[in-house]
Amino acid sequence: MTQIGRPEIPISGNDADRGRHGPDGDHVARAAQQAAARIGTVVEDVFTVLRELRDVTAARIREAGGRALVSGDLAALRPALLGYLGGLIAGVGFIAAPGLLSDAHWFLEWWQEHPSGVPARLERDLDPAGSAFYDYTHWAWYAEPYAGAERTICGPYVDYLCTDEYSLTLSVPVTVAGAFAGVAAADVFVRRFEGAVAPVLRAVPAPAFIVNAAGRVIASNTARWLGGSVFRGEPGFAVHPCGELPLSLVAAQ
């Protein structure tokens, strides 16, 4: 999944100078803080799903009772995965740590929406000898949970390997008896995320935008800060964390 920023059409069409002669700074700050909290709630809803998937997956692994786990054991996850699709979530699944399964050194149980309306299982070349071998372990949505991150948000990036959509991937680690077993993850199309947070951003009476931990803009109410651009800090802007998430709302003061 190569991460490439792209110019986005601003979701509200507000002018970059919005708020220059508008409400006072305290009012803007309060509105921005409220918006950051609401955005955090939107994202936390996805993580709630992932925590449930994490727990279901861990329980399924424990049910093996110490015998060699096989890919068929994870087939029981499919009804839950299909139920999670919809709303913000366009793809969801469990990605196994290499060697977890005895019959598939590399494995992912991943389902995603399909234009036909029937969910489709993602099929990738997981044979290390194959020319298109998909080594998922070096992608941040896997590597960061493996390194100990409790919640990871990757993107925005163009997902060339799965959907060709501008996307975010959210993930959490799955552990069993203290050992890392893999990750539970979900894909969220940026266009859907924009739609969900557009009313929140419009309620901020000043230029405002959402950034990831690296400062890349995900959604915005101003043409000055397009989706995919990078905010490195600038005078006249305040950063408001979205709870404990690796996301922030940046708003003009």
Side-chain angles (χ1 to χ4, degrees):
M1 298 181 184
T2 304
Q3 296 191 14
I4 302 176
R6 67 166 171 79
E8 286 288 305
I9 299 173
I11 61 177
S12 70
N14 294 331
D15 186 81
D17 291 331
R18 177 187 178 196
R20 180 174 293 176
H21 303 294
D24 63 72
D26 288 343
H27 176 67
V28 172
R30 287 193 298 271
Q33 290 164 3
Q34 292 171 357
R38 293 173 63 191
I39 291 163
T41 298
V42 170
V43 178
E44 284 288 4
D45 286 345
V46 179
F47 277 114
T48 296
V49 168
L50 293 182
R51 287 190 292 269
E52 181 178 322
L53 174 57
R54 174 198 63 195
D55 294 344
V56 170
T57 304
R60 186 60 182 165
I61 294 171
R62 285 193 294 268
E63 286 172 6
R67 66 168 172 78
L69 196 69
V70 297
S71 54
D73 290 319
L74 298 180
L77 298 177
R78 295 180 185 179
L81 296 177
L82 297 180
Y84 295 143
L85 291 174
L88 285 181
I89 297 177
V92 64
F94 169 67
I95 301 89
L100 176 71
L101 306 180
S102 62
D103 64 337
H105 189 78
W106 301 80
F107 183 82
L108 50 85
E109 184 69 34
W110 185 272
W111 290 80
Q112 58 193 32
E113 295 178 346
H114 189 271
S116 68
V118 178
R121 187 169 186 267
L122 179 66
E123 300 288 349
R124 282 291 172 263
D125 183 359
L126 299 177
D127 179 0
S131 60
F133 171 54
Y134 180 46
D135 180 357
Y136 47 73
T137 61
H138 69 281
W139 297 112
W141 51 260
Y142 182 96
E144 291 184 17
Y146 176 75
E150 287 300 316
R151 293 183 293 186
T152 299
I153 300 176
C154 296
Y157 65 93
V158 179
D159 188 355
Y160 288 119
L161 295 178
C162 297
T163 63
D164 290 327
E165 285 270 358
Y166 201 46
S167 302
L168 302 168
T169 299
L170 287 65
S171 59
V172 300
V174 177
T175 60
V176 178
F180 180 79
V183 302
D187 280 346
V188 172
F189 294 159
V190 170
R191 57 183 171 84
R192 293 187 184 178
F193 181 73
E194 287 176 331
V197 302
V200 179
L201 288 172
R202 292 190 182 111
V204 180
F209 46 94
I210 303 166
V211 297
N212 64 13
R216 190 169 296 280
V217 176
I218 300 172
S220 173
N221 72 5
T222 168
R224 180 181 176 188
W225 295 97
L226 300 176
S229 59
V230 179
F231 175 75
R232 298 298 188 195
E234 186 172 312
F237 285 85
V239 178
H240 306 272
C242 297
E244 299 298 320
L245 297 168
L247 293 177
S248 298
L249 176 73
V250 181
Q253 295 175 300

